[in-house]
Amino acid sequence: MKVQHLLTLWLGLLLSPALWAQSGIIKGQVTDALNNEPIAFANVLLLGTDIGTTTDIDGNFEITGLEPKLYDVRASYLGYTNKTEYEVQVTNSKPAIVNLALSESAQDLEEVVVKASPFTKTEESPLSLRTIGVAEIQRNPGGNRDISRVIQTLPGVTTPAGFRNDLIIRGGAPNENRFYLDDVEVPTINHFATQGASGGPVGLINVNFIREVEFYSGAFPANRGNTLSSVLEFKQRDGRDDRIGGTFLMSATDVGVTLEGPIGDKTTFLASVRRSYLQFLFDVIGLPFLPTYNDFQVKVKHKFNKKNELTFIGLGALDQFQLNLDANETEEQQFLLNQLPVSPQWNYTNGLVYKHYADNGFWTFVVSRNMLNNESEKYLDNDDSSEENLTLRYKSQEIENKLRVEHDIRFGDFKLNYGLGYQYVKYNVSTFNRIFTSAGPQTIDFASNFDLNRYELFAQGSQKFLDERLTLSLGFRMDANDYSTEMSNLGQQFSPRFSASYALTERLAVNFNTGIYYQLPPYTILGYQEDGVFVNRENGIKYIRNDHVVAGFEYNTASNSKISIEGYYKYYYDYPFLLRDSLTLANLGGDFGVLGNEPVVPRSEGRSYGIEFLFQQRLYKGFYGIASYTLGWSEFEDKNGNFVPSSWDARHIANVVVGKRFEKNWEVGVNWRFQTGLPFTPFDRQASALVLNWQANGRGIRDFDQLNTRRADLVSAIDIRVDKKWFFDKWSLNIFLDIENVTGNGVGQDQLILDRPLDENGQPIGGGIITNPDAPINQQQFRLKTINDATGTVVPSIGLQIEI
């Protein structure tokens, strides 16, 4: 009876309207975006309500007594373009900080023609730029608060496997993407990343830090280099300045805590740690691998005064991986145990960002260091009792020390950004690997290291004409390094770009961009050695070049939605061609491990082209949604110089996300994903079956004479998410259910495994059957069989988040 009374009391408290006091606060500052000067007496309005205020003499504002929910906050002032922060979550536990930086408008006050778009659009990138708010990330069905998965709902974006975050953007490989966290470049944003190809199964950036994400799939600004497919700018919020607070999050996969608050009068901090407990869950359900990931994130911001501020950024991960050798009862389990190496990994990025504001512009100074430590080890049949069974032992470190200086300045209606950068790189690797090549089994055994100095110069100018109806932007950048003479000349990597946007009406605009972009090949390629010689330096490896042309239309409706159509064409030059298997690196695909650690020559060309459609609806009368469709082609040369579909040729990609916010803080969202199966290369069954080859390779051998002639099954999956929030006097609670792949759609490829004898229970045992044991050793073959690695697993995640 006491238990019943306690439960009744708890439910009564939980449902008591008295606890839902309307004491939410929105506060912040309105400033000039160029010089950081406060804008006094600016209007601040909560859209869709009659609630508003004006800023004081220091540009500060505060709105109190708000009901906890989402608000759109708009700031306006005469002579400036309006700025809106969408979907600001107000709770009773802490003030919502909204700082709005307004840009001066060059229009005559009596001739305002162009309506401000509710979606981000810059002079440098008038198209191929999408902005994602933190609320969109948190509620995305199937995303599980992972930013990389949210990106996959946008046009032109897909991934080679449903359980990984390898982003394929407009037919480009996953290693063609670059990531920035508050101006600091972050090479790795996923746990268990594939070296040389980015990606990984779990994101490591804490969504609680994020204010918004800007995603460029083209029209890259000149200050963002070394990319061919996309740039992601993660913009973090500042820590709260009133008191210490925090957030506790527990889900089906991990547990984490975030703390924030003031350190003195001028300094705030954000700090978080997270640890997974997947290894216990995977052990219980009998999976043959046991991963454990840990990560940390920190931001400390100090404001010396209104003209000078310094920010420290920290991000890192420690990933551990073990094989569950007891989970070997089925053929699928044995296949995974035979394939997966033990791969511990750690990485970090630390950076300092100093901003100095002047009368007509500001300087940005960025100093950072990042490091990736990657290891892999594999024994034949996972028997580590003897070194003779060793098939793979790999360890490498990538270390980058970076300096970048930028200056943004405006002269009337002309905007200029220019700067320079320097990087000092150290790379070392130790590799022992038994592999199969066209010449038969081969052992790769070498150690290598090198230092590298990288340089960059960039500038971009933009101006508006015709009462701001026409915007033009012209820029360039140059990159070079001292690895080889082929890459040491800045002029050799001259990278011009041009953008134009014209407003046909107040809501309809036509946009265009073209540019030449360069990217340094992976360090795994630069560091490869044979007999003490950097083979790929001798082979004339150079920057990969990609020429872009993008054009399209954009229409902004009256209900905060946007419709856009874009066509794109990308052409690749000097793509690395792998000499062992005679194929382009882009046709190798992506998986756990290391890509590019082998001899190459810069001889391949490729192309990707297509058309994208997007409808995006911001939260309006409780509804929100995204509908996107892409028809695209991605092709690279084979060994004969003929264009064939690449490993990233998705062809048809469609996504529909629909959500609804209900009364009493309930929210439901549904995501439907459809994609044509990606191409793959069938196995050479006869070569795979040779005992010497199988024992060296441990897997089927692809027949690259039939390069990408098969396609995987199409993807058609549905994800569902349900959220319920409670707002109490000093804290809030969010409980969510996120179900990925509700329909159990299984997508995979045929794989070869050893045909093992079965025990009395029908379970496979032993090391496989040799079909002709009396044949010479170089002709003996295992008997193989085919299985499909599709899982079709429904992945539910139940979690709660407490904010105080």
Side-chain angles (χ1 to χ4, degrees), residues 72-377:
D72 296 337
V73 185
R74 172 170 294 175
S76 61
Y77 190 73
L78 201 60
Y80 286 83
T81 302
N82 296 346
K83 180 70 177 293
T84 305
E85 186 86 11
Y86 289 92
E87 299 189 44
V88 176
Q89 179 65 68
V90 171
T91 71
N92 295 327
S93 56
K94 67 176 182 180
I97 308 298
V98 181
N99 295 316
L100 297 163
L102 306 187
S103 300
E104 282 194 73
S105 173
Q107 293 173 321
D108 293 333
L109 299 181
E110 289 138 6
E111 296 183 5
V112 177
V113 177
V114 181
K115 182 178 177 62
S117 170
F119 300 89
T120 299
K121 181 176 178 178
T122 68
E123 295 97 327
E124 301 86 358
S125 306
L127 75 175
S128 303
L129 170 60
R130 323 290 184 199
T131 302
I132 306 169
V134 63
E136 296 174 83
I137 299 170
Q138 291 176 333
R139 69 186 177 216
N140 181 261
N144 200 19
R145 298 167 56 87
D146 193 326
I147 299 169
S148 296
R149 293 186 180 273
V150 178
I151 297 294
Q152 295 171 29
T153 64
L154 298 177
V157 185
T158 187
T159 181
F163 62 91
R164 286 180 61 85
N165 289 341
D166 307 76
L167 296 176
I168 301 171
I169 314 296
R170 290 181 171 174
N175 68 343
E176 298 175 13
N177 309 309
R178 291 295 171 267
F179 314 103
Y180 291 83
L181 188 64
D182 283 350
D183 286 313
V184 175
E185 185 176 0
V186 181
T188 305
I189 65 167
N190 290 291
H191 292 282
F192 302 104
T194 299
Q195 189 175 4
S198 73
V202 181
L204 63 89
I205 292 182
N206 186 344
V207 174
N208 291 329
F209 280 55
I210 299 302
R211 177 168 52 87
E212 66 178 14
V213 179
E214 291 183 347
F215 169 65
Y216 300 79
S217 56
F220 312 129
N223 62 348
R224 298 294 183 254
N226 202 43
T227 182
L228 304 180
S229 285
S230 80
V231 173
L232 275 82
E233 297 264 11
F234 300 97
K235 298 183 178 182
Q236 300 182 107
R237 64 182 180 89
D238 295 340
R240 61 188 302 176
D241 60 2
D242 57 336
R243 64 174 178 84
I244 300 294
T247 301
F248 173 78
L249 175 68
M250 183 173 65
S251 71
T253 57
D254 53 42
V255 59
V257 61
T258 300
L259 293 177
E260 60 178 305
I263 307 175
D265 295 333
K266 298 182 177 182
T267 308
T268 60
F269 81 94
L270 277 165
S272 73
V273 292
R274 179 174 58 159
R275 180 175 174 84
S276 74
Y277 41 81
L278 278 175
Q279 69 275 22
F280 304 115
L281 175 64
F282 284 15
D283 190 25
V284 170
I285 62 179
L287 290 178
F289 50 91
L290 306 175
T292 304
Y293 57 82
N294 310 266
D295 57 50
F296 76 89
Q297 191 168 340
V298 62
K299 176 183 179 179
V300 180
K301 186 171 184 178
H302 179 76
K303 294 183 178 181
F304 299 96
N305 48 52
K306 66 182 180 181
K307 293 294 187 180
N308 297 278
E309 61 185 40
L310 179 66
T311 304
F312 171 77
I313 302 296
L315 180 70
L318 173 63
D319 301 330
Q320 300 160 315
F321 191 92
Q322 291 181 325
L323 296 178
N324 185 8
L325 299 180
D326 294 329
N328 64 348
E329 298 178 351
T330 68
E331 292 176 334
E332 289 76 12
Q333 290 173 325
Q334 292 183 351
F335 168 75
L336 289 174
L337 286 173
N338 191 53
Q339 302 297 309
L340 295 175
V342 176
S343 300
Q345 186 180 98
W346 56 263
N347 69 82
Y348 69 82
T349 299
N350 293 323
L352 286 171
V353 181
Y354 175 73
K355 287 186 179 290
H356 170 70
Y357 293 90
D359 291 338
N360 61 343
F362 61 92
W363 290 87
T364 303
F365 301 84
V366 183
V367 179
S368 66
R369 175 183 171 91
N370 56 263
M371 183 172 180
L372 169 66
N373 187 93
N374 189 27
E375 301 180 36
S376 291
E377 191 171 80

Side-chain angles (χ1 to χ4, degrees), residues 597-650:
N597 194 29
E598 54 186 299
V600 305
V601 292
R603 53 154 276 189
S604 293
E605 297 183 5
R607 62 193 181 195
S608 64
Y609 50 95
I611 188 168
E612 300 172 349
F613 167 82
L614 172 68
F615 171 78
Q616 184 175 0
Q617 175 66 64
R618 291 195 181 275
L619 187 63
Y620 183 72
K621 295 184 178 180
F623 289 92
Y624 59 87
I626 291 178
S628 65
Y629 170 72
T630 303
L631 173 62
W633 290 261
S634 176
E635 302 168 330
F636 279 82
E637 291 180 331
D638 64 10
K639 62 183 179 181
N640 299 315
N642 300 318
F643 282 102
V644 299
S646 79
S647 297
W648 321 121
D649 184 55

Side-chain angles (χ1 to χ4, degrees), residues 12-53:
L13 290 172
L14 197 63
L15 298 176
S16 173
L19 293 178
W20 302 339
Q22 297 187 4
S23 58
I25 299 172
I26 295 178
K27 70 176 185 176
Q29 187 180 40
V30 179
T31 58
D32 186 300
L34 201 62
N35 57 30
N36 206 39
E37 286 288 340
I39 299 177
F41 311 116
N43 294 312
V44 180
L45 177 66
L46 305 186
L47 299 183
T49 75
D50 57 359
I51 303 172
T53 187

Side-chain angles (χ1 to χ4, degrees), residues 703-716:
D703 181 5
F704 291 114
D705 288 332
Q706 303 182 61
L707 180 63
N708 286 342
T709 54
R710 307 280 180 86
R711 282 191 179 268
D713 298 333
L714 61 83
V715 177
S716 180

Side-chain angles (χ1 to χ4, degrees), residues 287-508:
L287 290 178
F289 50 91
L290 306 175
T292 304
Y293 57 82
N294 310 266
D295 57 50
F296 76 89
Q297 191 168 340
V298 62
K299 176 183 179 179
V300 180
K301 186 171 184 178
H302 179 76
K303 294 183 178 181
F304 299 96
N305 48 52
K306 66 182 180 181
K307 293 294 187 180
N308 297 278
E309 61 185 40
L310 179 66
T311 304
F312 171 77
I313 302 296
L315 180 70
L318 173 63
D319 301 330
Q320 300 160 315
F321 191 92
Q322 291 181 325
L323 296 178
N324 185 8
L325 299 180
D326 294 329
N328 64 348
E329 298 178 351
T330 68
E331 292 176 334
E332 289 76 12
Q333 290 173 325
Q334 292 183 351
F335 168 75
L336 289 174
L337 286 173
N338 191 53
Q339 302 297 309
L340 295 175
V342 176
S343 300
Q345 186 180 98
W346 56 263
N347 69 82
Y348 69 82
T349 299
N350 293 323
L352 286 171
V353 181
Y354 175 73
K355 287 186 179 290
H356 170 70
Y357 293 90
D359 291 338
N360 61 343
F362 61 92
W363 290 87
T364 303
F365 301 84
V366 183
V367 179
S368 66
R369 175 183 171 91
N370 56 263
M371 183 172 180
L372 169 66
N373 187 93
N374 189 27
E375 301 180 36
S376 291
E377 191 171 80
K378 187 66 179 177
Y379 287 85
L380 185 65
D381 295 326
N382 298 308
D383 180 6
D384 60 1
S385 62
S386 171
E387 289 296 290
E388 294 182 358
N389 297 326
L390 182 68
T391 61
L392 171 66
R393 178 171 288 152
Y394 175 89
K395 180 175 181 178
S396 84
Q397 294 180 328
E398 297 180 2
I399 307 167
E400 295 177 323
N401 304 277
K402 304 174 183 178
L403 168 67
R404 191 177 76 254
V405 180
E406 295 186 40
H407 189 200
D408 288 82
I409 192 169
R410 185 180 290 275
F411 304 98
D413 58 356
F414 176 72
K415 175 184 175 183
L416 176 65
N417 167 268
Y418 66 92
L420 54 84
Y422 167 77
Q423 296 185 31
Y424 175 62
V425 178
K426 296 186 68 176
Y427 175 80
N428 62 76
V429 61
S430 174
T431 299
F432 176 87
N433 194 10
R434 293 175 179 169
I435 63 170
F436 171 84
T437 70
S438 57
Q442 180 180 351
T443 298
I444 307 300
D445 191 358
F446 75 93
S448 172
N449 68 83
F450 67 82
D451 297 346
L452 183 67
N453 295 282
R454 297 172 59 178
Y455 319 96
E456 62 185 59
L457 295 171
F458 54 86
Q460 188 154 1
S462 308
Q463 187 157 0
K464 296 183 178 182
F465 304 90
L466 305 177
D467 294 325
E468 298 193 3
R469 296 176 70 94
L470 174 65
T471 303
L472 301 179
S473 182
L474 180 64
F476 75 90
R477 70 174 289 123
M478 296 186 290
D479 294 271
N481 65 76
D482 61 0
Y483 177 82
S484 66
T485 56
E486 285 83 3
M487 296 190 287
S488 62
N489 187 345
L490 280 168
Q492 190 70 29
Q493 286 79 231
F494 180 72
S495 175
R497 59 208 66 197
F498 171 74
S499 295
S501 177
Y502 184 74
L504 299 172
T505 70
E506 67 173 9
R507 299 188 183 276
L508 177 64

Side-chain angles (χ1 to χ4, degrees), residues 769-788:
I769 300 173
I770 299 178
T771 57
N772 186 5
D774 297 326
I777 186 65
N778 62 342
Q779 297 179 15
Q780 290 181 359
Q781 291 186 332
F782 282 117
R783 191 166 73 192
L784 304 179
K785 65 187 300 184
T786 301
I787 64 169
N788 193 284

